Amino acid sequence: MSSIATTVRVPIEGVDQLLLAGVNDANLVELARITGTRVALRGEALTLTGESDQAMRGEAIALGMVATVREGHPLTPDDVLRLSLEQRPDDLAARAAGALVLPGARRVVKAKTPGQAEYLQQILEHDIVVGIGPAGTGKTYLAVAAAVDALMRKRVRRIVLARPAVEAGENLGFLPGDMQAKVDPYLRPLYDALDDFMPYERIQKAIEARTIEVAPLAFMRGRTLGDAFVILDEAQNATHLQMKMFLTRLGVNSKIVITGDKTQVDLPKREESGLMQIERILHGIEGIAFHYFTDADVVRHRLVRDIIRAYNEDAAGG
């Protein structure tokens, strides 16, 4: 029985399309021959259409082609064939099963619910993904896994992890230590997620080399985040002005994942949550996907799911 036909889209912003396609489109012809997909180069994307397993394999090869050209190397049909031979069958099988096989560590990060599998697929297929849902659903964990995967496969040059530093009960100015010491408690969950995918020493070296950056959202102002995988966590606590600032940092060959829980807003009542605003105004824009987790996606202790349901029922009754 054949797989379901699907189309995948590989962004090619900033890439020399003539070098990517080759003489008389020879590279694209070879990609189509190897994968059995229909390949089209339109605008700022390379699209592959075929059975789902073929399209996934084609996407992996196409990402390698794009990276080769972006790094300034020539690309020939022989290079396309070589890239296809480097694809490991277990990597492709894992992706088909809703998982990531992290290169180097050879660690498999598996989606534990259908919702998580769909979320991972949306991250692969879109430039901006907004994951909304309760605690314990893997919103941040899976996003960081996807970021590490993209970095290790050289699809991006760096990872940027950000969180709003919302003061909850204590004023930052009165906390002890320098600025880094003041904001580290807000960023600790992002470091914890990284720890699961990379050795501590490697994380520290990457931070020193600015390959990985973990910073408060306010530090993003005035920057352009190009060739990066950018994650904004706890986005419900970003104001609408902060959210607009963050989204407009998107640069060439970059991907943004925004995660948040609308029931955990810590902003003063007078301030509007930027997460809720983009939920209203960004639906329907091509390249942006919204994914909604439910309590069925909670993968922490069983009691976490029951607690969330109890709060939801109380809110509905009130």
Side-chain angles (χ1 to χ4, degrees):
M1 188 174 187
S2 63
S3 302
I4 298 174
T6 188
T7 297
V8 297
R9 176 180 176 274
V10 178
I12 56 170
E13 289 179 294
V15 173
D16 188 320
Q17 296 189 15
L18 292 177
L19 293 179
L20 181 65
V23 179
N24 296 323
D25 292 340
N27 296 337
L28 303 185
V29 171
E30 181 68 0
L31 177 61
R33 183 192 69 79
I34 292 169
T35 60
T37 60
R38 295 194 305 277
V39 178
L41 189 60
R42 297 192 185 95
E44 297 295 320
L46 183 67
T47 61
L48 300 94
T49 303
E51 295 184 354
S52 58
D53 55 344
Q54 296 173 326
M56 280 193 297
R57 182 172 184 237
E59 180 188 31
I61 299 169
L63 286 166
M65 293 168 61
V66 169
T68 299
V69 174
R70 184 169 277 120
E71 291 169 3
H73 302 303
L75 184 69
T76 68
D78 286 343
D79 296 319
V80 178
L81 177 60
R82 174 183 53 79
L83 287 167
S84 73
L85 297 175
E86 291 175 358
Q87 298 304 314
R88 292 170 53 102
D90 56 336
D91 286 11
L92 298 172
R95 285 210 25 213
L100 294 173
V101 181
L102 299 182
R106 308 310 308 164
R107 174 166 184 173
V108 179
V109 179
K110 294 183 179 179
K112 297 182 179 180
T113 70
Q116 289 190 345
E118 182 183 345
Y119 179 58
L120 281 175
Q121 191 61 36
Q122 286 180 326
I123 290 175
L124 286 169
E125 294 176 355
H126 296 82
D127 293 333
I128 298 177
V129 175
V130 184
I132 298 174
T137 52
K139 302 184 300 294
T140 304
Y141 185 84
L142 293 174
V144 173
V148 172
D149 179 68
L151 181 67
M152 289 181 172
R153 296 182 189 279
K154 298 184 178 179
R155 296 173 184 167
V156 297
R157 294 184 184 275
R158 57 180 171 155
I159 296 173
V160 179
L161 309 176
R163 265 189 165 204
V166 176
E167 301 173 15
E170 288 185 270
N171 190 295
L172 280 175
F174 290 96
L175 292 177
D178 58 15
M179 179 55 70
Q180 192 63 43
K182 292 175 191 291
V183 301
D184 266 356
Y186 294 103
L187 305 175
R188 176 49 49 191
L190 296 174
Y191 286 109
D192 290 344
L194 278 174
D195 285 342
D196 264 9
F197 307 123
M198 299 175 69
Y200 176 80
E201 297 78 12
R202 187 170 179 183
I203 293 174
Q204 292 307 306
K205 288 181 180 178
I207 290 174
E208 290 172 7
R210 300 187 67 83
T211 303
I212 296 178
E213 180 179 354
V214 186
L217 174 59
F219 287 20
M220 301 296 108
R221 190 173 302 278
R223 302 177 58 187
T224 298
L225 302 174
D227 210 9
F229 196 118
V230 190
I231 298 172
L232 174 59
D233 192 36
E234 297 290 336
Q236 74 276 1
N237 289 326
T239 67
H240 62 282
L241 291 176
Q242 287 176 326
M243 183 65 76
K244 181 180 179 182
M245 175 274 291
F246 174 75
L247 287 170
T248 53
R249 301 307 95 197
L250 183 66
V252 173
N253 190 45
S254 289
K255 186 183 292 287
I256 283 178
V257 177
I258 297 169
T259 68
D261 180 353
K262 294 190 294 183
T263 69
Q264 298 290 328
V265 178
D266 295 322
L267 293 169
K269 290 184 179 180
R270 67 179 181 276
E271 303 217 19
E272 181 185 13
S273 168
L275 178 64
M276 295 182 184
Q277 184 184 45
I278 64 170
E279 188 183 15
R280 292 196 310 269
I281 68 176
L282 297 186
H283 270 290
I285 297 179
E286 185 177 356
I288 301 179
F290 284 80
H291 182 80
Y292 292 90
F293 293 90
T294 69
D295 54 17
D297 295 306
V298 173
V299 292
R300 290 181 184 168
H301 193 287
R302 174 190 60 80
L303 285 176
V304 174
R305 183 181 304 176
D306 293 341
I307 290 167
I308 291 170
R309 286 177 176 167
Y311 272 96
N312 288 342
E313 289 170 4
D314 182 69

